DNA sequence: TTGTAGGCGTTATCAT
DNA sequence: ATGATAACGCCTACAA
């Protein structure tokens, strides 16, 4: 069954394809009478314009690609969800590019731009090297979320990693902790280094020793937090508190503590990062630095869309502040309950 | 800056566009010497074929749309992730259609097919009415996951809801429970009705009364489970066990119990459905009916792709079995620990 | 093995 | 306000 085309509609109402086309692109320009005729024919033939032809003609797809390390993490899926909402409301479709944290996948997806498969890309927490990214982002609309593009003019939106990590650490120090551990993500990622630096800075600024054996490299995922905590808690001199660079690792640590009979927060206070859904639900509820997910998503999408449309951007680089959310795992309530 | 086209490549190596095109579609058909020339020119010009033009010419996009109620739920995001992997390996791109559980959104997304924006659709747990779906699915490749398409020939993949709900319920009965509650999803959805029926059937088959006040309609989400459990547990005759039709509701119930000082599983045994990530992490770990997520995703994608390619399908309707995963929340260990 | 040329379904320009 | 027509960039008979 051949597809219904504009030609068919035109023939049906004895008008030209140009007029039919105008009904879609600029209805004002066609007389009310003819407009009606066209609408009727469209209805009767159940016609829908072929997006492929339109895309080719206009050399654009009205869709964007979101490159994302792992949709299973609710932090990412939340952002993805928010991006899709903003994009949808602006008439843009969202292609999904889950990289499973692989730089190679990330690069493959970036090439969708060159193939004209999408009009722009939102790149969440990139893993591939800056040159690779710069090569594409220099020519096509790309906005990076969660990482500052060093020495390049790629627009980005990030949260205040250094500062927030510092805040989280100082929260623990204020609660009286001296031996504090830090679990970072892979240090190959700038985010991880930023958060680790914030931790070290806060410790030193408060005159505390940074025991190197307590500054551990994880990978942001649950399992790494679990394994690291098991090791530390069964060592000779276990820490009394943990600043984790992700909620997943923090929750992994909670589970590890429980397995060893270590009480959280009494014997081991924990603070996470991200505020994923599980953070408020797990037991004890996780104290964490909440990233402004909604804002991150909205701003990056708006920036990308105006970039695509060639509008002058209001802002190219945005740094958003995180928010400390005090729940149970840090032991704040133990001291402040009256 | 004009985009590089096949014409440019052709000119560069003094061959025709046809030859260049063949290098992509059927390299065997062009002489090794010329092939090299073309490769070189492609390299030098940094040429990438324009997917838009190719799509129009071939009237296909090599992409599929996944319509999904809510990516924030790890059950769905897991399936989405698995679908994307299978699709990617077959050269297909994945468009994301998060409906936020709205039938209207679902319908809008279905029309992407008519607009030729995608070659096929995987429809997860549809919420819109069957006629609406049938209208599109009758003409274009659609595979439904999680719901049987009644009186229509739309291919589908589901799990054994009735049977699994029965199994879950009987598990509770075997553990000695008599007053058992059931939380369903919205009864407008067939899945919900199936699971509820499975519960009722198991109760009656075992000669137990079904107290209507214990058979509650929720909406699959955390909050509904929380609210319902609060109500039931503070009633005059609280149940001693709960069969929840989703893990989210089950975990909501766990939190409610904790809030009221009711011990899980000692005073209130709970079993969930889905096996989301949080199920193994929450406290106590959730006993649940695990859906074969991987299989659901793989089979539906394979079915859709062969449907798109016009291959005769191996199977049109698949029913997969769930698996009972015993953890802590049902209290099995209390009886069987020796 | 290679080249020529028509067409995929729209949109946009230019006449009328 | 409307119509004829030339692109958009690629693929694929068909001819050479």
């Amino acid at each position: 069954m051949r597809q219904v085309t504009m030609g068919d509609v035109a023939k049906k109402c004895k008008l030209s394809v140009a007029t039919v086309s105008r009904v879609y692109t600029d209805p004002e320009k066609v007389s009310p009478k003819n407009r009606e005729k066209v609408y009727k024919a469209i209805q009767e033939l159940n016609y829908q314009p072929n997006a492929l032809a339109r895309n080719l003609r206009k050399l654009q797809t009205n869709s964007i690609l979101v490159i994302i390390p792992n949709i299973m993490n609710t932090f990412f899926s939340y952002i993805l969800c928010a991006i899709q909402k903003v994009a949808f409301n602006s008439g843009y479709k969202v292609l999904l590019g889950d990289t499973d944290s692989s730089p190679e996948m990330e690069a493959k997806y970036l090439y969708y731009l060159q193939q004209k498969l999408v009009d722009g890309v939102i790149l969440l927490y990139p893993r591939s090297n800056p040159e690779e990214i710069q090569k594409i982002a220099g020519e096509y609309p790309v906005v990076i979320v969660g990482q500052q593009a060093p020495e390049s003019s790629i627009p980005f939106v990030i949260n205040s990693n250094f500062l927030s990590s510092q805040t989280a650490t100082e929260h623990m120090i204020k609660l009286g902790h001296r031996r504090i551990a830090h679990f970072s993500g892979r240090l190959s990622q700038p985010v991880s280094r930023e958060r680790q630096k914030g931790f070290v800075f806060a410790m030193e600024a408060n005159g505390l020793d940074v025991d190197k054996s307590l500054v551990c490299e994880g990978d942001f995922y649950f399992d790494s937090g679990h394994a690291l905590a098991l090791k530390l808690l069964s060592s000779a001199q276990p820490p009394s508190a943990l600043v984790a660079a992700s909620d997943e690792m923090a929750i992994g640590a909670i589970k590890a503590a429980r397995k060893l009979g270590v009480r959280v927060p009494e014997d081991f206070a924990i603070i996470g990062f991200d505020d994923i859904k599980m953070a408020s639900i797990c037991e004890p509820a996780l104290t964490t630095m909440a990233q402004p997910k909604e804002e991150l998503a909205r701003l990056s999408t708006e920036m990308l869309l105006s970039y695509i449309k060639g509008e002058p951007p209001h802002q190219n680089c945005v740094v958003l502040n995180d928010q400390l959310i005090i729940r149970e795992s840090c032991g704040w309530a133990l001291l402040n309950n009256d």
Side-chain angles (χ1 to χ4, degrees), chain A:
Chain A
M1 192 195 54
R2 214 184 100 269
Q3 109 156 266
V4 185
T5 78
M6 245 179 199
D8 300 326
V9 177
K11 205 178 295 170
K12 179 126 196 158
C13 45
K14 301 205 169 96
L15 289 164
S16 73
V17 286
T19 307
V20 178
S21 176
R22 271 191 286 263
V23 167
Y24 283 98
T25 55
D26 204 352
E28 302 300 305
K29 289 205 165 178
V30 31
S31 72
K33 206 172 56 184
N34 281 340
R35 218 184 303 158
E36 275 316 308
K37 272 209 271 186
V38 172
Y39 283 138
K40 201 164 141 247
I42 286 172
Q43 195 95 68
E44 282 172 20
L45 294 172
N46 190 24
Y47 167 77
Q48 283 261 355
N50 182 318
L52 297 169
R54 176 180 291 171
N55 289 349
L56 174 59
R57 180 55 233 242
K58 306 179 73 162
L59 289 180
Q60 57 170 40
T61 62
N62 278 295
S63 55
I64 62 174
L65 170 66
V66 180
I67 304 182
I68 205 166
N70 178 4
I71 30 170
M72 293 292 295
N73 184 313
T74 51
F75 172 67
F76 292 127
S77 61
Y78 188 99
I79 293 186
L80 176 59
C81 197
I83 288 176
Q84 139 128 4
K85 272 195 193 118
V86 179
F88 189 88
N89 289 333
S90 304
Y92 276 77
K93 279 142 314 251
V94 170
L95 240 89
L96 173 62
D98 188 310
T99 65
D100 213 1
S101 297
S102 138
E104 291 76 32
M105 286 294 289
E106 202 176 291
K108 274 189 199 163
Y109 281 125
L110 275 174
Y111 280 90
Y112 280 14
L113 279 168
Q114 259 193 19
Q115 300 168 229
K116 304 286 181 297
L117 276 166
V118 292
D119 298 341
V121 162
I122 295 183
L123 183 51
L124 296 171
Y125 298 85
R127 303 288 218 273
S128 49
N129 66 59
E131 297 83 51
E132 187 76 35
I133 296 172
Q134 179 62 42
K135 211 165 67 187
I136 303 286
E139 286 198 76
Y140 298 95
V142 172
V143 171
I144 299 180
V145 174
Q147 193 163 116
Q148 190 157 0
E151 299 155 47
S152 89
S153 56
I154 310 171
F156 64 84
V157 187
I158 52 170
N159 60 314
S160 54
N161 287 305
F162 182 94
L163 184 65
S164 300
S165 187
Q166 184 189 341
T167 307
T169 310
E170 281 174 348
H171 180 69
M172 286 308 195
I173 296 173
K174 275 190 208 131
L175 292 173
H177 295 282
R178 294 294 169 263
R179 266 187 81 69
I180 307 177
H182 183 260
F183 292 176
S184 70
R186 285 263 159 268
L187 291 173
S188 52
Q189 296 177 249
V191 212
S192 303
R193 295 196 296 268
E194 284 300 307
R195 294 187 191 171
Q196 194 184 72
K197 277 189 223 158
F199 167 78
V200 172
F201 180 87
M203 291 293 279
E204 292 176 345
N206 284 273
L208 294 177
D209 279 344
V210 176
D211 182 337
K212 288 229 170 92
S213 69
L214 297 184
V215 180
C216 312
E217 178 175 359
D219 62 6
F220 283 129
Y221 291 111
F222 180 87
D223 288 341
S224 76
H226 189 78
L228 287 171
L230 278 182
K231 200 186 73 187
L232 253 48
L233 289 175
S234 39
S235 70
Q237 282 199 305
S240 73
L242 165 67
V243 174
S246 77
D247 283 355
E248 282 217 16
M249 291 193 296
I251 292 168
I254 290 180
K255 290 297 265 189
R258 191 172 302 264
K259 192 179 279 179
L260 298 173
V262 173
R263 290 171 308 162
V264 176
E266 293 84 349
D267 308 327
F268 191 43
I270 298 178
I271 185 168
F273 209 116
D274 291 346
D275 194 29
I276 63 177
K277 196 169 168 189
M278 220 185 297
S280 59
I281 292 171
C282 72
E283 198 69 35
L286 192 67
T287 291
T288 192
M289 293 299 306
Q291 294 201 44
K293 301 189 274 284
E294 193 90 42
E295 285 285 288
L296 245 26
R298 196 177 49 72
L299 275 173
S300 57
T301 312
E302 285 171 1
M303 277 164 63
L304 182 66
L305 295 188
S306 58
Y307 191 169
I308 288 172
K309 290 171 192 153
E311 297 165 4
H314 293 154
Q315 42 198 351
N316 247 334
C317 312
V318 183
V319 182
L320 298 169
N321 285 316
D322 305 304
Q323 191 193 350
L324 175 63
I325 296 192
I326 298 177
R327 296 204 182 92
E328 302 160 7
S329 67
C330 64
W332 188 86
L334 298 180
L335 294 178
N336 297 272
N337 240 351
D338 46 329

